[in-house]
Amino acid sequence: MDKKEKNVGVPDREKLMKKLTEEVKSDLKSYFQDRDYGVIAVTEEDALRAFVVKTTNLCDIARLRHKTSPIATAVLGRALTGALLLTSLLKHASDQRLLLRIEGDGPIGLVVAEANAKGNVRGFVKNPQVETFVKEVNGKKKFDIGRAVGSGFLTVVKDFGFGTPYESSVPLVSGEIAEDIAYYLLKSEQIPSAVSIGVLVGETGKVEAAGGFLVQPLPGASDKAIEKLEENVKKLPPVSALIKEGKRPEEIVELLFEGFTPHILALKELSFKCKCSKEVAKGGVIALPEKDLKELIEEGGVTIRCNFCNEEYFFSREELEEILKEKKSGDN
């Protein structure tokens, strides 16, 4: 078999990449419009990679579902955005997924976000109505995310769809989430990365802008390219401010890769989406001991709430009686 025959059916990576031209940017704007999405890009001249996401809508949906206070909205939004950025560790567009868990001793308590490689994310905070803390930075008041989260650990669980999921934890370095994710990537994945996440919450509590980026040198990147990339990252305004003023992910890519020629490697539409259902909730009910099921029947029914999306599923007395019959027949 000659070389040409060997490569039949194998996609040419370079042909899949698109140079970030004005025409491409116009096409992306027309296609995605105001929807949340992410852009994975690389540079033509050197081995640099960026994943930039806009997550405004999904963060606000999470706020509405969990009825979060302003600072809880910011924390949850950062966790959801961070989990989506970490899907860069998974196979693109596959069923692989990961869970980001932040266990701090701050008043917000446990923070969890789960995302898959297709761009779906869901999550929750233990105390959604936590008091809002602020701090002053360069004369401006900002949410004190670190105080709300506290000290503790960040854990990432990656499920590749085969075998036991891979789990790794690192201490929280600041509780600001973006810095903690960068520390995780360096210590657990040995990938030096710049991570920025921002969630801008308006006076009414609505998420006005949210997004983030993860940028890193790939193996073989030159010192000169890395230095230029670091310069670009340092002079960039907060990512939420960029999105608020109308900058789109591909335009933020251009800012990150100023001095380089960026090429789009992949696109990903993003959404807050939970995989719960009444059937899934039923599985939890049927696992209850018979004694507990009988008590619920006497009480006239039970409501099961999904932690991840706050959706509620009610099981009536009649439904519980049917579930009890199923359970008894299954035990025999």
Side-chain angles (χ1 to χ4, degrees):
M1 183 182 290
D2 61 29
K3 185 175 181 181
K4 184 176 180 181
E5 290 176 320
K6 280 185 179 180
N7 289 330
V8 169
V10 178
D12 187 331
R13 183 173 178 271
E14 291 187 3
K15 287 181 179 179
L16 293 176
M17 294 192 297
K18 281 193 174 183
K19 190 174 181 180
L20 192 49
T21 62
E22 291 301 318
E23 181 182 0
V24 169
K25 287 194 290 182
S26 177
D27 288 344
L28 290 177
K29 187 173 184 180
S30 176
Y31 179 77
F32 286 109
Q33 298 181 24
D34 291 329
R35 300 202 299 271
D36 292 335
Y37 68 102
V39 172
I40 301 172
V42 293
T43 54
E44 181 180 301
E45 297 84 356
D46 219 302
L48 304 176
R49 181 177 184 269
F51 185 18
V52 183
V53 299
K54 171 185 169 291
T55 57
T56 307
N57 300 322
L58 67 87
C59 287
D60 202 49
I61 289 171
R63 171 188 73 89
L64 292 169
R65 279 196 164 272
H66 292 288
K67 300 177 177 61
T68 45
S69 67
I71 196 167
T73 297
V75 172
L76 179 56
R78 288 187 184 202
L80 295 172
T81 302
L84 286 167
L85 290 174
L86 284 172
T87 61
S88 61
L89 301 171
L90 308 177
K91 184 179 179 182
H92 181 66
S94 70
D95 290 323
Q96 295 179 358
R97 59 194 174 95
L98 63 79
L99 183 135
L100 172 67
R101 186 170 67 242
I102 299 168
E103 298 168 282
D105 59 6
I108 201 161
L110 178 67
V111 182
V112 177
E114 183 189 67
N116 64 26
K118 292 180 178 177
N120 299 323
V121 68
R122 59 181 188 160
F124 66 92
V125 294
K126 183 178 180 180
N127 299 314
Q129 285 299 316
V130 69
E131 176 188 355
T132 294
F133 305 104
V134 295
K135 61 181 179 179
E136 196 168 294
V137 180
N138 299 324
K140 294 183 179 180
K141 288 186 177 180
K142 297 178 62 177
F143 288 138
D144 193 344
I145 303 293
R147 183 178 172 187
V149 172
S151 302
F153 291 88
L154 177 150
T155 301
V156 175
V157 183
K158 290 179 288 185
D159 185 353
F160 297 116
F162 51 86
T164 304
Y166 173 78
E167 180 173 326
S168 180
S169 296
V170 294
L172 293 169
V173 293
S174 71
E176 292 285 337
I177 300 180
E179 294 172 23
D180 299 306
I181 288 174
Y183 185 71
Y184 162 80
L185 288 167
L186 180 63
K187 292 298 181 180
S188 292
E189 304 289 338
Q190 288 75 54
I191 307 173
S193 310
V195 181
S196 178
I197 300 172
V199 179
L200 181 62
V201 181
E203 292 183 2
T204 63
K206 178 180 172 63
V207 177
E208 295 184 347
F213 66 75
L214 187 160
V215 61
Q216 54 201 192
L218 299 172
S222 66
D223 291 339
K224 185 177 179 181
I226 294 172
E227 288 174 11
K228 175 61 178 170
L229 180 61
E230 289 174 347
E231 289 175 14
N232 292 347
V233 170
K234 285 178 182 177
K235 67 183 183 182
L236 216 59
V239 66
S240 57
L242 289 170
I243 292 171
K244 172 69 174 174
E245 69 181 44
K247 287 281 189 286
R248 304 179 70 82
E250 60 274 13
E251 293 172 319
I252 297 174
V253 164
E254 289 183 311
L255 296 174
L256 288 167
F257 288 159
E258 182 184 338
F260 302 96
T261 306
H263 287 254
I264 293 178
L265 188 60
L267 303 169
K268 186 180 294 187
E269 187 163 354
L270 310 174
S271 61
F272 185 96
K273 187 176 182 180
C274 192
K275 57 187 179 182
C276 73
S277 65
K278 190 163 185 177
E279 193 62 30
V280 172
K282 180 182 174 181
V285 176
I286 202 169
L288 292 172
E290 283 189 25
K291 177 177 174 292
D292 292 347
L293 274 172
K294 289 176 181 177
E295 287 178 1
L296 293 175
I297 290 169
E298 289 176 9
E299 291 170 8
V302 65
T303 297
I304 304 296
R305 184 177 62 85
C306 174
N307 284 335
F308 280 98
C309 70
N310 222 26
E311 188 73 30
E312 294 184 344
Y313 299 97
F314 178 71
F315 292 86
S316 64
R317 181 196 303 270
E318 292 74 23
E319 287 174 308
L320 291 174
E321 287 172 346
E322 286 299 317
I323 289 172
L324 183 58
K325 287 179 183 177
E326 285 183 43
K327 184 178 179 67
K328 286 181 174 179
S329 63
D331 290 340
N332 292 333

